[in-house]
Amino acid sequence: MNPPELLVDVADHVATVTLNRPDRLNAITPTLSDSLRHTMAELGRDDGVRVIILTGAGRGFCAGADMSLLQNLTQGAPLPKTMGHDAVDAIAGRELQQRYNFLSAVPKPVIACINGATAGIGFVLALFADIRFASSDATLTTGFARRGLIAEHGSAFGLAHLVGPGHTADLLLSSRKVSGAEAERIGLVNRALPPDELMAFTRRYASELASSCSPRSLRVIKQQIAALPLQTMAQSFAEADRLMLESLTSDDFKEGVAHFVEKRAPRFSGR
């Protein structure tokens, strides 16, 4: 059972996971971090879930690590250890077995619905989601340099592949805040929307994926995208050819052709 600081709702094959510490702008604690990774692992194994939305309650998406934890570290508390996660251990290589990039290895699309303040660890969580939709007036910041920290949890690697080296240097070195609108302009988020339209749009998008796309295709395509930074072009092409042959023997391929020919809604099984 999830603690009250993490809410999970599943409807029509879409799971909505809400960080629920609105009075702290959903800042991360060890308990919330553990609950989130275990929940994502469970949803990744749940055949009734095809798409996952991650968002925050109240005015924030996630304001990073709870400041009380950072204060404790300055006073000699034990340092946190880098660790793998059960969400990824069984399905991903060592490259994805890091503290906060486990969303990349959840075998279903994860959509970050960035409804407000996003910083530090919250920024990293959004970064390693598959798709990011933001409120146009949300604020996003890496925050690390202004706390005497470095580009944590693979954020330099992830940002560089998402927005390029120039924007990566800007966002990490300055730790300045960018709005959702600017984040869309530089490619940090897929789309920025008016605040009162954000969740409805995100749910419609997620529902379209869940109802119209093969779960097997979504899973394999996500794996292909995650592998790109680790592959040459020739390796990517060869892997695509291999996976294509496998897909031609799948139940979802047969259903994909059948529902199109029969002009009806698809009934994908994920196999």
Side-chain angles (χ1 to χ4, degrees):
M1 180 178 294
N2 291 308
E5 59 188 17
L6 189 70
L7 306 178
V8 181
D9 175 72
V10 179
D12 299 324
H13 299 297
V14 176
T16 302
V17 178
T18 305
L19 306 176
N20 189 38
R21 301 185 73 218
D23 57 323
R24 304 290 293 176
L25 293 177
N26 306 310
I28 292 289
T29 64
T31 298
L32 181 53
S33 176
D34 289 344
S35 297
L36 179 60
R37 68 180 177 87
H38 285 302
T39 294
M40 287 296 177
E42 291 172 357
L43 294 174
R45 293 188 290 264
D46 187 343
D47 291 339
V49 173
R50 296 183 177 182
V51 182
I52 302 169
I53 297 170
L54 177 62
T55 192
R59 298 181 298 109
F61 174 73
C62 175
D66 193 292
M67 190 56 66
S68 63
L69 301 179
L70 299 184
Q71 289 175 319
N72 289 340
L73 289 176
T74 67
Q75 297 167 8
L79 295 175
K81 296 180 180 179
T82 299
M83 57 189 293
H85 293 288
D86 53 5
V88 305
D89 289 344
I91 59 174
R94 185 174 301 277
E95 294 83 2
L96 294 179
Q97 294 183 28
Q98 304 300 323
R99 192 169 181 82
Y100 286 107
N101 71 344
F102 59 92
L103 295 182
S104 298
V106 176
K108 294 163 187 181
V110 178
I111 303 171
C113 181
I114 305 169
N115 54 303
T118 303
I121 291 171
F123 187 96
V124 175
L125 287 173
L127 180 64
F128 287 109
D130 300 295
I131 296 168
R132 287 155 295 281
F133 298 134
S135 169
S136 56
D137 63 359
T139 58
L140 300 90
T141 176
T142 59
F144 303 126
R146 300 193 183 201
R147 298 293 172 268
L149 298 169
I150 52 82
E152 293 183 349
H153 305 302
S155 54
F157 182 88
L159 263 179
H161 282 86
L162 188 63
V163 301
H167 291 309
T168 295
D170 170 28
L171 295 174
L172 288 172
L173 294 175
S174 73
S175 287
R176 68 183 181 88
K177 294 179 180 179
V178 298
S179 67
E182 182 179 358
E184 179 187 40
R185 181 178 62 78
I186 66 176
L188 179 59
V189 302
N190 297 82
R191 186 164 176 178
L193 297 113
D196 59 348
E197 298 178 14
L198 174 63
M199 181 52 76
F201 176 88
T202 303
R203 290 188 188 279
R204 286 196 302 272
Y205 185 95
S207 295
E208 180 72 12
L209 290 186
S211 63
S212 300
C213 298
S214 152
R216 182 185 185 280
S217 294
L218 295 178
R219 180 176 67 251
V220 175
I221 290 170
K222 177 166 178 171
Q223 291 171 348
Q224 288 179 275
I225 295 170
L228 285 175
L230 311 173
Q231 294 176 321
T232 65
M233 182 183 294
Q235 289 171 329
S236 178
F237 278 41
E239 181 70 354
D241 287 345
R242 183 185 69 80
L243 293 170
M244 179 64 176
L245 292 175
E246 289 183 0
S247 71
L248 293 176
T249 66
S250 70
D251 291 345
D252 275 8
F253 169 67
K254 296 172 185 176
E255 173 60 14
V257 174
H259 87 82
F260 180 82
V261 172
E262 297 168 15
K263 296 181 172 56
R264 58 169 173 79
R267 297 189 291 267
F268 290 119
S269 67
R271 296 188 296 273

